[in-house]
Amino acid sequence: MRPPHSTSRPDFPPPAPAPAPLRLLVADDNPVVRAGLTALLSGRADTTVVAEARDGREAYEAALRHRPDVVLLDVRMPGVDGISALPHLVRLAPVMMLTYSHETETVREALRLGAGGYLVHGEFTTEQLVRAVRDVREGRPHVTPGAARALLTSLREDAPAHSDPNDVDLRPNSAPSALSQLQPSMGQSFRSRFRLSTREAEIMDLIASGMTNQQIAAACFISEKTVKNHINHIFAKLHTTTRSQAAAKWLGVA
């Protein structure tokens, strides 16, 4: 006798719950920018703005009260500006600088003080902003092209000057071997002797600044695997095996 036909449905596991939206604090003295960002980020399923602030002091108080996942922080604000508030805010939550300012010193100081990323208005889409915010929360930095260029400019300006022709001893009794070693570098920059490509030189500047592979990948908009490949080529050209050795040679202190 055939068993009765079962009408019960297969026992599938329940769908996984959707992740909670990221809770954001927006700090900007411009009410139009604040309102725009709040409308944009609160209208999504994956992000929401839990508080707004008009200056650094309000941002700190709001961060203490609401404990956001990420703070979006402008640089120039009346009262306590973003750079002054940054060291206090990073103790409470990851901070993403979101600003119109891309001056070299501002970018450098923000990253030095602990900002997890630096986005310049006009250089990202909504999806890129949301991805950057998520990455910064997870400790993966994001820097838009304008900020990256400012950082590279700063690093190059800080590099010591080398191979000053006035330092070469041209007296008749100078050792010929010493002159022969010096002559190839005459009329060219100190670093050109390493024969790094433009991209390799940029990456070497970032290595010398103390950035990790992850940070370099974000700054240059390339993968970490590509960064590692470039570093292997750089080490070979500089005849080094460690980052500290390469940085010392690149900065002329080795």
mmCIF file of all heavy atoms in Angstrom, residues 151-180:
data_model
loop_
_atom_site.group_PDB
_atom_site.id
_atom_site.type_symbol
_atom_site.label_atom_id
_atom_site.label_comp_id
_atom_site.label_asym_id
_atom_site.label_seq_id
_atom_site.Cartn_x
_atom_site.Cartn_y
_atom_site.Cartn_z
ATOM 1 N N LEU A 151 49.071 64.568 -1.155
ATOM 2 C CA LEU A 151 49.975 63.819 -0.283
ATOM 3 C C LEU A 151 51.291 63.534 -0.981
ATOM 4 O O LEU A 151 52.373 63.700 -0.400
ATOM 5 C CB LEU A 151 49.308 62.511 0.143
ATOM 6 C CG LEU A 151 50.100 61.621 1.103
ATOM 7 C CD1 LEU A 151 50.396 62.358 2.393
ATOM 8 C CD2 LEU A 151 49.341 60.341 1.376
ATOM 9 N N LEU A 152 51.232 63.143 -2.238
ATOM 10 C CA LEU A 152 52.458 62.872 -2.993
ATOM 11 C C LEU A 152 53.290 64.140 -3.159
ATOM 12 O O LEU A 152 54.512 64.111 -3.062
ATOM 13 C CB LEU A 152 52.109 62.290 -4.357
ATOM 14 C CG LEU A 152 51.604 60.842 -4.339
ATOM 15 C CD1 LEU A 152 51.069 60.450 -5.705
ATOM 16 C CD2 LEU A 152 52.705 59.885 -3.917
ATOM 17 N N THR A 153 52.616 65.262 -3.414
ATOM 18 C CA THR A 153 53.323 66.542 -3.536
ATOM 19 C C THR A 153 54.061 66.860 -2.247
ATOM 20 O O THR A 153 55.217 67.281 -2.254
ATOM 21 C CB THR A 153 52.332 67.669 -3.863
ATOM 22 O OG1 THR A 153 51.714 67.393 -5.120
ATOM 23 C CG2 THR A 153 53.045 69.019 -3.936
ATOM 24 N N SER A 154 53.388 66.629 -1.117
ATOM 25 C CA SER A 154 53.997 66.892 0.181
ATOM 26 C C SER A 154 55.228 66.031 0.401
ATOM 27 O O SER A 154 56.263 66.512 0.861
ATOM 28 C CB SER A 154 52.973 66.626 1.287
ATOM 29 O OG SER A 154 53.575 66.656 2.556
ATOM 30 N N LEU A 155 55.134 64.756 0.055
ATOM 31 C CA LEU A 155 56.268 63.849 0.241
ATOM 32 C C LEU A 155 57.452 64.272 -0.609
ATOM 33 O O LEU A 155 58.604 64.220 -0.174
ATOM 34 C CB LEU A 155 55.849 62.427 -0.110
ATOM 35 C CG LEU A 155 54.838 61.775 0.845
ATOM 36 C CD1 LEU A 155 54.315 60.478 0.252
ATOM 37 C CD2 LEU A 155 55.465 61.535 2.201
ATOM 38 N N ARG A 156 57.179 64.689 -1.833
ATOM 39 C CA ARG A 156 58.274 65.073 -2.726
ATOM 40 C C ARG A 156 58.922 66.374 -2.284
ATOM 41 O O ARG A 156 60.127 66.557 -2.405
ATOM 42 C CB ARG A 156 57.736 65.199 -4.152
ATOM 43 C CG ARG A 156 57.438 63.832 -4.761
ATOM 44 C CD ARG A 156 56.631 63.936 -6.010
ATOM 45 N NE ARG A 156 56.344 62.611 -6.541
ATOM 46 C CZ ARG A 156 55.377 62.330 -7.380
ATOM 47 N NH1 ARG A 156 54.562 63.291 -7.780
ATOM 48 N NH2 ARG A 156 55.173 61.106 -7.823
ATOM 49 N N GLU A 157 58.113 67.285 -1.749
ATOM 50 C CA GLU A 157 58.672 68.550 -1.277
ATOM 51 C C GLU A 157 59.560 68.339 -0.053
ATOM 52 O O GLU A 157 60.507 69.071 0.173
ATOM 53 C CB GLU A 157 57.537 69.517 -0.930
ATOM 54 C CG GLU A 157 56.820 70.077 -2.154
ATOM 55 C CD GLU A 157 55.617 70.917 -1.773
ATOM 56 O OE1 GLU A 157 55.219 70.886 -0.588
ATOM 57 O OE2 GLU A 157 55.064 71.592 -2.665
ATOM 58 N N ASP A 158 59.243 67.303 0.732
ATOM 59 C CA ASP A 158 60.014 67.021 1.942
ATOM 60 C C ASP A 158 61.304 66.269 1.663
ATOM 61 O O ASP A 158 62.165 66.164 2.532
ATOM 62 C CB ASP A 158 59.181 66.192 2.926
ATOM 63 C CG ASP A 158 58.134 67.037 3.617
ATOM 64 O OD1 ASP A 158 58.167 68.275 3.443
ATOM 65 O OD2 ASP A 158 57.278 66.469 4.311
ATOM 66 N N ALA A 159 61.431 65.715 0.470
ATOM 67 C CA ALA A 159 62.630 64.933 0.164
ATOM 68 C C ALA A 159 63.855 65.840 0.183
ATOM 69 O O ALA A 159 63.838 66.947 -0.334
ATOM 70 C CB ALA A 159 62.489 64.284 -1.209
ATOM 71 N N PRO A 160 64.943 65.381 0.786
ATOM 72 C CA PRO A 160 66.144 66.209 0.844
ATOM 73 C C PRO A 160 66.774 66.386 -0.526
ATOM 74 O O PRO A 160 66.657 65.532 -1.387
ATOM 75 C CB PRO A 160 67.077 65.412 1.780
ATOM 76 C CG PRO A 160 66.601 63.995 1.660
ATOM 77 C CD PRO A 160 65.124 64.071 1.444
ATOM 78 N N ALA A 161 67.419 67.512 -0.704
ATOM 79 C CA ALA A 161 68.118 67.752 -1.971
ATOM 80 C C ALA A 161 69.425 66.968 -1.987
ATOM 81 O O ALA A 161 70.087 66.814 -0.971
ATOM 82 C CB ALA A 161 68.420 69.247 -2.117
ATOM 83 N N HIS A 162 69.781 66.460 -3.177
ATOM 84 C CA HIS A 162 70.984 65.639 -3.279
ATOM 85 C C HIS A 162 71.755 66.020 -4.549
ATOM 86 O O HIS A 162 71.237 66.674 -5.436
ATOM 87 C CB HIS A 162 70.631 64.151 -3.357
ATOM 88 C CG HIS A 162 70.007 63.643 -2.098
ATOM 89 N ND1 HIS A 162 70.731 63.267 -1.003
ATOM 90 C CD2 HIS A 162 68.703 63.460 -1.769
ATOM 91 C CE1 HIS A 162 69.918 62.858 -0.052
ATOM 92 N NE2 HIS A 162 68.685 62.971 -0.495
ATOM 93 N N SER A 163 72.952 65.520 -4.599
ATOM 94 C CA SER A 163 73.801 65.653 -5.777
ATOM 95 C C SER A 163 73.954 67.100 -6.230
ATOM 96 O O SER A 163 73.766 67.440 -7.385
ATOM 97 C CB SER A 163 73.235 64.807 -6.926
ATOM 98 O OG SER A 163 73.277 63.451 -6.585
ATOM 99 N N ASP A 164 74.230 67.975 -5.277
ATOM 100 C CA ASP A 164 74.508 69.363 -5.623
ATOM 101 C C ASP A 164 75.853 69.415 -6.343
ATOM 102 O O ASP A 164 76.872 69.023 -5.784
ATOM 103 C CB ASP A 164 74.554 70.196 -4.333
ATOM 104 C CG ASP A 164 74.730 71.676 -4.617
ATOM 105 O OD1 ASP A 164 75.032 72.022 -5.784
ATOM 106 O OD2 ASP A 164 74.563 72.467 -3.682
ATOM 107 N N PRO A 165 75.878 69.904 -7.595
ATOM 108 C CA PRO A 165 77.149 69.954 -8.320
ATOM 109 C C PRO A 165 78.226 70.724 -7.583
ATOM 110 O O PRO A 165 79.415 70.468 -7.754
ATOM 111 C CB PRO A 165 76.766 70.661 -9.636
ATOM 112 C CG PRO A 165 75.301 70.411 -9.796
ATOM 113 C CD PRO A 165 74.749 70.381 -8.396
ATOM 114 N N ASN A 166 77.819 71.666 -6.712
ATOM 115 C CA ASN A 166 78.810 72.442 -5.977
ATOM 116 C C ASN A 166 79.564 71.598 -4.952
ATOM 117 O O ASN A 166 80.600 71.994 -4.448
ATOM 118 C CB ASN A 166 78.125 73.615 -5.262
ATOM 119 C CG ASN A 166 77.564 74.620 -6.246
ATOM 120 O OD1 ASN A 166 78.149 74.844 -7.300
ATOM 121 N ND2 ASN A 166 76.411 75.211 -5.917
ATOM 122 N N ASP A 167 78.993 70.413 -4.610
ATOM 123 C CA ASP A 167 79.652 69.557 -3.631
ATOM 124 C C ASP A 167 80.728 68.676 -4.258
ATOM 125 O O ASP A 167 81.443 67.987 -3.550
ATOM 126 C CB ASP A 167 78.604 68.648 -2.956
ATOM 127 C CG ASP A 167 77.668 69.442 -2.067
ATOM 128 O OD1 ASP A 167 78.054 70.558 -1.679
ATOM 129 O OD2 ASP A 167 76.563 68.947 -1.785
ATOM 130 N N VAL A 168 80.820 68.650 -5.568
ATOM 131 C CA VAL A 168 81.784 67.780 -6.239
ATOM 132 C C VAL A 168 83.162 68.422 -6.216
ATOM 133 O O VAL A 168 83.331 69.593 -6.570
ATOM 134 C CB VAL A 168 81.351 67.515 -7.697
ATOM 135 C CG1 VAL A 168 82.368 66.637 -8.394
ATOM 136 C CG2 VAL A 168 79.974 66.881 -7.725
ATOM 137 N N ASP A 169 84.170 67.660 -5.793
ATOM 138 C CA ASP A 169 85.539 68.144 -5.717
ATOM 139 C C ASP A 169 86.193 68.023 -7.094
ATOM 140 O O ASP A 169 86.435 66.932 -7.591
ATOM 141 C CB ASP A 169 86.311 67.323 -4.677
ATOM 142 C CG ASP A 169 87.683 67.905 -4.422
ATOM 143 O OD1 ASP A 169 88.062 68.890 -5.091
ATOM 144 O OD2 ASP A 169 88.380 67.355 -3.548
ATOM 145 N N LEU A 170 86.442 69.176 -7.739
ATOM 146 C CA LEU A 170 87.016 69.184 -9.086
ATOM 147 C C LEU A 170 88.473 69.637 -9.091
ATOM 148 O O LEU A 170 89.010 70.030 -10.123
ATOM 149 C CB LEU A 170 86.196 70.102 -10.002
ATOM 150 C CG LEU A 170 84.744 69.672 -10.236
ATOM 151 C CD1 LEU A 170 84.056 70.674 -11.142
ATOM 152 C CD2 LEU A 170 84.684 68.288 -10.862
ATOM 153 N N ARG A 171 89.151 69.596 -7.949
ATOM 154 C CA ARG A 171 90.552 69.993 -7.911
ATOM 155 C C ARG A 171 91.401 69.011 -8.710
ATOM 156 O O ARG A 171 91.044 67.830 -8.832
ATOM 157 C CB ARG A 171 91.036 70.044 -6.450
ATOM 158 C CG ARG A 171 90.402 71.174 -5.632
ATOM 159 C CD ARG A 171 90.790 71.062 -4.184
ATOM 160 N NE ARG A 171 90.275 69.809 -3.604
ATOM 161 C CZ ARG A 171 90.585 69.389 -2.384
ATOM 162 N NH1 ARG A 171 91.424 70.110 -1.635
ATOM 163 N NH2 ARG A 171 90.084 68.263 -1.914
ATOM 164 N N PRO A 172 92.531 69.464 -9.257
ATOM 165 C CA PRO A 172 93.358 68.590 -10.104
ATOM 166 C C PRO A 172 93.775 67.299 -9.433
ATOM 167 O O PRO A 172 93.947 66.286 -10.089
ATOM 168 C CB PRO A 172 94.583 69.466 -10.425
ATOM 169 C CG PRO A 172 94.078 70.863 -10.287
ATOM 170 C CD PRO A 172 93.062 70.834 -9.195
ATOM 171 N N ASN A 173 93.972 67.305 -8.115
ATOM 172 C CA ASN A 173 94.446 66.091 -7.455
ATOM 173 C C ASN A 173 93.305 65.217 -6.952
ATOM 174 O O ASN A 173 93.506 64.323 -6.151
ATOM 175 C CB ASN A 173 95.390 66.435 -6.283
ATOM 176 C CG ASN A 173 94.688 67.278 -5.240
ATOM 177 O OD1 ASN A 173 93.589 67.748 -5.470
ATOM 178 N ND2 ASN A 173 95.361 67.487 -4.116
ATOM 179 N N SER A 174 92.064 65.521 -7.421
ATOM 180 C CA SER A 174 90.945 64.668 -7.033
ATOM 181 C C SER A 174 91.148 63.277 -7.594
ATOM 182 O O SER A 174 91.682 63.107 -8.686
ATOM 183 C CB SER A 174 89.633 65.243 -7.580
ATOM 184 O OG SER A 174 89.368 66.514 -7.009
ATOM 185 N N ALA A 175 90.695 62.278 -6.865
ATOM 186 C CA ALA A 175 90.851 60.902 -7.318
ATOM 187 C C ALA A 175 90.012 60.677 -8.565
ATOM 188 O O ALA A 175 88.812 60.935 -8.549
ATOM 189 C CB ALA A 175 90.401 59.938 -6.221
ATOM 190 N N PRO A 176 90.605 60.208 -9.683
ATOM 191 C CA PRO A 176 89.850 59.971 -10.907
ATOM 192 C C PRO A 176 88.695 59.006 -10.689
ATOM 193 O O PRO A 176 87.630 59.166 -11.264
ATOM 194 C CB PRO A 176 90.890 59.373 -11.859
ATOM 195 C CG PRO A 176 92.214 59.837 -11.325
ATOM 196 C CD PRO A 176 92.036 59.902 -9.854
ATOM 197 N N SER A 177 88.897 57.987 -9.847
ATOM 198 C CA SER A 177 87.822 57.013 -9.657
ATOM 199 C C SER A 177 86.609 57.665 -9.010
ATOM 200 O O SER A 177 85.470 57.382 -9.360
ATOM 201 C CB SER A 177 88.311 55.856 -8.793
ATOM 202 O OG SER A 177 88.744 56.334 -7.524
ATOM 203 N N ALA A 178 86.871 58.575 -8.064
ATOM 204 C CA ALA A 178 85.755 59.242 -7.402
ATOM 205 C C ALA A 178 84.992 60.111 -8.391
ATOM 206 O O ALA A 178 83.767 60.159 -8.385
ATOM 207 C CB ALA A 178 86.266 60.098 -6.246
ATOM 208 N N LEU A 179 85.729 60.823 -9.260
ATOM 209 C CA LEU A 179 85.075 61.659 -10.266
ATOM 210 C C LEU A 179 84.257 60.806 -11.228
ATOM 211 O O LEU A 179 83.143 61.173 -11.596
ATOM 212 C CB LEU A 179 86.120 62.459 -11.052
ATOM 213 C CG LEU A 179 86.591 63.746 -10.398
ATOM 214 C CD1 LEU A 179 87.654 64.387 -11.275
ATOM 215 C CD2 LEU A 179 85.441 64.709 -10.211
ATOM 216 N N SER A 180 84.771 59.676 -11.626
ATOM 217 C CA SER A 180 84.055 58.841 -12.583
ATOM 218 C C SER A 180 82.754 58.326 -11.985
ATOM 219 O O SER A 180 81.774 58.121 -12.680
ATOM 220 C CB SER A 180 84.928 57.662 -13.022
ATOM 221 O OG SER A 180 85.189 56.800 -11.927
#
